[in-house]
Amino acid sequence: MTYQETLSHIYGLARFGMKPGLERIRTTLHALSDPQDAVRTIHVAGTNGKGSTSAFLAAILEAGGHKVGLFTSPHLITFTERIRVNGRELSEQDVISLADRVLSVAPDGTTFFEIVTAMAYLHFAEQGVGPAVMEVGMGGRLDATNIASGILSIITPIAIDHSQYLGNDIGRIAREKAGVIKQGRPTVTSRQAAEAHQVIQR
């Protein structure tokens, strides 16, 4: 497929909508030899400021001499913005190659975001990045990025968002976003509303 044909195919998966869960991404990445296990992932969850926090952190780490992966969504202009290594976007040929490999093993019903997340983990593992800053797509607990164990979790300010999937109050939404917290691994959180702060502490 050409680059445009590849994008058309990937975008076409949006018909499956948002389907929170880790089963499809787990199956896909396992078939690719679990590249997420080779990546030291920093998860950035929250409602406001995820993108800027991810970009700032990636820039700081790169300035400190690290080879840094950055995964963000949505893109502003081109699809290739979503996956970067030391600020360098994917090439169109990278998109074709990664998508072909991921799509060949993804189970039926795999969503657009799951495919793109798998492409990011595969690319970062093969590029030998040090830390990879992964911006959560929606929520946290069941977000495709959360398939990696992670070395650090960051939670930016939490507000009401995606309530049809995450719940209609701050406490329920905070529980979903706090799903990126891993036992024995550090977590950094911004100032939060009292209800969200209590959930994160628990």
Side-chain angles (χ1 to χ4, degrees), residues 55-75:
F56 292 153
L57 181 55
I60 290 167
L61 290 166
E62 182 182 349
H66 296 277
K67 187 175 186 180
V68 185
L70 175 62
F71 176 70
T72 57
S73 62
H75 58 268

Side-chain angles (χ1 to χ4, degrees), residues 9-63:
H9 185 78
I10 295 172
Y11 287 136
L13 299 175
R15 68 185 183 276
F16 294 121
M18 294 183 183
K19 298 190 297 187
L22 300 178
E23 300 80 13
R24 294 172 301 275
I25 188 75
R26 181 178 290 113
T27 298
T28 300
L29 289 173
H30 186 65
L32 296 166
S33 301
D34 291 309
Q36 77 281 5
D37 293 341
V39 178
R40 293 185 294 152
T41 300
I42 299 172
H43 284 111
V44 182
T47 303
N48 301 308
K50 286 185 300 180
S52 56
T53 298
S54 298
F56 292 153
L57 181 55
I60 290 167
L61 290 166
E62 182 182 349

Side-chain angles (χ1 to χ4, degrees), residues 22-157:
L22 300 178
E23 300 80 13
R24 294 172 301 275
I25 188 75
R26 181 178 290 113
T27 298
T28 300
L29 289 173
H30 186 65
L32 296 166
S33 301
D34 291 309
Q36 77 281 5
D37 293 341
V39 178
R40 293 185 294 152
T41 300
I42 299 172
H43 284 111
V44 182
T47 303
N48 301 308
K50 286 185 300 180
S52 56
T53 298
S54 298
F56 292 153
L57 181 55
I60 290 167
L61 290 166
E62 182 182 349
H66 296 277
K67 187 175 186 180
V68 185
L70 175 62
F71 176 70
T72 57
S73 62
H75 58 268
L76 296 177
I77 300 172
T78 62
F79 177 87
T80 55
E81 297 169 24
R82 291 172 177 258
I83 302 171
R84 308 181 194 194
V85 175
N86 279 4
R88 183 177 179 180
E89 299 175 14
L90 282 182
S91 69
E92 293 185 358
Q93 188 56 49
D94 287 333
V95 172
I96 295 169
S97 174
L98 290 165
D100 180 64
R101 293 163 65 193
V102 170
L103 288 165
S104 70
V105 298
D108 290 343
T110 301
T111 67
F112 168 84
F113 188 75
E114 290 164 345
I115 292 295
V116 180
T117 300
M119 290 169 61
Y121 278 127
L122 183 59
H123 185 63
F124 293 155
E126 293 181 343
Q127 290 296 308
V129 303
V133 181
M134 302 289 290
E135 179 187 359
V136 171
M138 180 185 72
R141 181 175 65 93
L142 297 176
D143 187 79
T145 62
N146 203 31
I147 195 66
S149 60
I151 60 170
L152 172 68
S153 300
I154 298 173
I155 304 177
T156 68

